[in-house]
Amino acid sequence: MCFFLRSCFDTCRPFAALSPGRLCTYVSSRPPSPAPGRAIFSAPCSPQRRDAATKRRVRRRGRGRNPLRRRPPGPRPRPIQFQTVARAPSALRRSVSSWLPRRWEKRRGEDERMAEEFVRVATEVTNVTTARSIGLAELVLLLLVIVCCAYAITKALLLGQKKRSLLLIVGPASSGKTTLFKQLQYGEAPSSTVTSVVPNEEDCRVRQGEGDQGQTVRVVDYPGHVKLRSGCDAYLQRAKKIVFVTDSLVYNDSDSVREAAGFLFSVLANPGVLRHRVPVFIACNKSDRMNAFSVEFVKRRLEKEIDVLLSTVGGLSDTKGGGDDLVNITSVGLGEPFKLANCLSKVSSGAMSALKGNLKTLKPYLTAA
Ligand SMILES: Nc1nc2c(ncn2[C@@H]2O[C@H](COP(=O)(O)OP(=O)(O)OP(=O)(O)O)[C@@H](O)[C@H]2O)c(=O)[nH]1
Ligand SMILES: [Mg+2]
């Protein structure tokens, strides 16, 4: 009996030291133990007691190591219990367990509800934010791509238009290019000219008739000398239209025909001309002279010479290292006879006299869109 009372007293001592106001925080993160009669309490140490203990400890250290003042042997006094597991007697158990678990349950319920609500709201917010941010990022990316594409296309179109705005006059030497250029520039041509060594470039007003306002065309007259031909490529890149001037008096001379045919082929096979299908007009000049060959004859001779040229280069392509860069400038196969009508770039032709100002066949080509 005595032992029972003693154990009850020992067990209840922590509760006696704790007022209901100090029975406070449930320390564990786990839910409270459902075992009846078992409770976990936490009693915080008061700041005054903690200060007093600290002062005592400091005072003791200040005195130094005095053997007489040494703590008697034996177990150290236990510090204040901050967490005690108590087995309460029935009366106290009833009173404590009546309100404490209810409060815990209430708080736990509130906490759980709040936690669930928080998780739900956080999940929703995260989902919405993620969805919105993904949608927004995609939209921004799409807009960026559209803007870039529009910019590139516009720039390419504008540059292409700006680049290809020239009317380029090319052809063998002394065929009458500068005479034609002057005719377009001033409406009349000088009776004599000198061999050009630099290109002439000017805005010319091309009129169809007397009362016609006409339209301004940027015209370039490129020298026909063989040694200057390499520089022609830069102008071919900018050409919107090409006038290939050929002297129709020389078509009884094989070398002149071969040279003219070779030059015409190099123009038609130019990558820039081929890619943009730049139209070419073969102007058979000096038609005012009686001994001038007809346009049909000039065309036939040119086609024949180009055909010979292609077959020669094609034959070379069978040999090692020859004719690898042979370009098909027609819409038919390389084996077929060459025809100007089959060229990928539109080829037209007409007789004219630059000296006399007879440009009837040329002007529709110049003013066409
Ligand atoms: N009869 C006649 N002669 C012309 C005609 N056009 C040009 N000529 C003459 O042909 C010669 C050469 O004319 P150019 O205009 O200098 O020839 P080009 O093609 O500019 O020659 P390069 O500058 O060397 O490439 C000149 O004596 C011109 O008078 C024409 O329509 N009829
Ligand atoms: Mg000239």
Side-chain angles (χ1 to χ4, degrees), residues 46-311:
S46 74
Q48 291 85 1
R49 289 185 75 177
R50 202 182 305 130
D51 290 349
T54 314
K55 276 179 191 167
R56 271 202 305 279
R57 211 177 304 127
V58 169
R59 238 181 284 131
R60 220 181 295 137
R61 276 188 196 149
R63 285 184 201 129
R65 285 180 171 275
N66 188 348
L68 295 174
R69 284 184 167 275
R70 203 175 279 168
R71 186 171 55 78
R76 275 177 167 275
R78 286 178 68 79
I80 298 161
Q81 294 281 332
F82 288 98
Q83 189 173 343
T84 310
V85 178
R87 198 178 286 276
S90 58
L92 190 60
R93 191 176 65 202
R94 268 200 303 278
S95 66
V96 171
S97 63
S98 61
W99 66 271
L100 204 56
R102 260 192 280 120
R103 194 165 165 177
W104 282 338
E105 284 299 320
K106 199 179 163 194
R107 282 201 61 178
R108 190 174 64 167
E110 279 173 9
D111 288 351
E112 279 176 0
R113 271 198 301 282
M114 278 177 69
E116 279 170 12
E117 184 67 14
F118 174 76
V119 168
R120 192 181 61 75
V121 171
T123 313
E124 266 178 27
V125 168
T126 312
N127 288 344
V128 169
T129 314
T130 313
R132 277 190 190 158
S133 27
I134 287 169
L136 207 69
E138 281 175 352
L139 197 71
V140 167
L141 207 69
L142 193 72
L143 278 173
L144 211 69
V145 169
I146 289 170
V147 168
C148 287
C149 286
Y151 175 75
I153 290 167
T154 315
K155 198 175 173 186
L157 285 174
L158 287 176
L159 276 180
Q161 279 177 3
K162 201 176 174 184
K163 247 173 107 178
R164 302 203 158 268
S165 58
L166 291 182
L167 170 69
L168 181 63
I169 302 173
V170 289
S174 299
S175 56
K177 297 180 295 294
T178 307
T179 310
L180 173 63
F181 179 78
K182 297 292 176 191
Q183 190 68 251
L184 291 171
Q185 194 178 3
Y186 302 114
E188 57 181 359
S191 54
S192 65
T193 53
V194 289
T195 301
S196 309
V197 287
V198 288
N200 298 310
E201 188 168 344
E202 206 66 54
D203 280 333
C204 300
R205 199 98 185 143
V206 180
R207 293 183 180 86
Q208 290 285 358
E210 275 305 305
D212 185 25
Q213 285 289 314
Q215 62 187 74
T216 307
V217 184
R218 188 82 181 162
V219 184
V220 172
D221 159 35
Y222 194 80
H225 199 279
V226 182
K227 287 188 178 173
L228 299 171
R229 294 244 176 107
S230 57
C232 188
D233 274 9
Y235 288 95
L236 285 169
Q237 299 301 319
R238 294 167 56 198
K240 192 180 175 188
K241 291 175 184 176
I242 296 168
V243 176
F244 184 83
V245 181
T246 181
D247 186 346
S248 53
L249 299 176
V250 298
Y251 274 77
N252 53 356
D253 178 34
S254 305
D255 289 343
S256 303
V257 177
R258 201 170 299 126
E259 194 208 334
F263 195 179
L264 179 61
F265 179 77
S266 71
V267 169
L268 290 169
N270 182 277
V273 174
L274 264 183
R275 198 183 310 122
H276 295 276
R277 306 283 195 265
V278 181
V280 179
F281 185 88
I282 301 172
C284 304
N285 196 26
K286 306 185 186 181
S287 64
D288 57 295
R289 296 278 293 269
M290 290 295 288
N291 53 344
F293 287 94
S294 69
V295 177
E296 287 307 313
F297 184 81
V298 169
K299 276 174 64 179
R300 265 204 309 278
R301 287 304 309 273
L302 286 172
E303 283 173 350
K304 199 175 167 190
E305 278 304 321
I306 292 175
D307 207 27
V308 170
L309 185 78
L310 283 171
S311 60

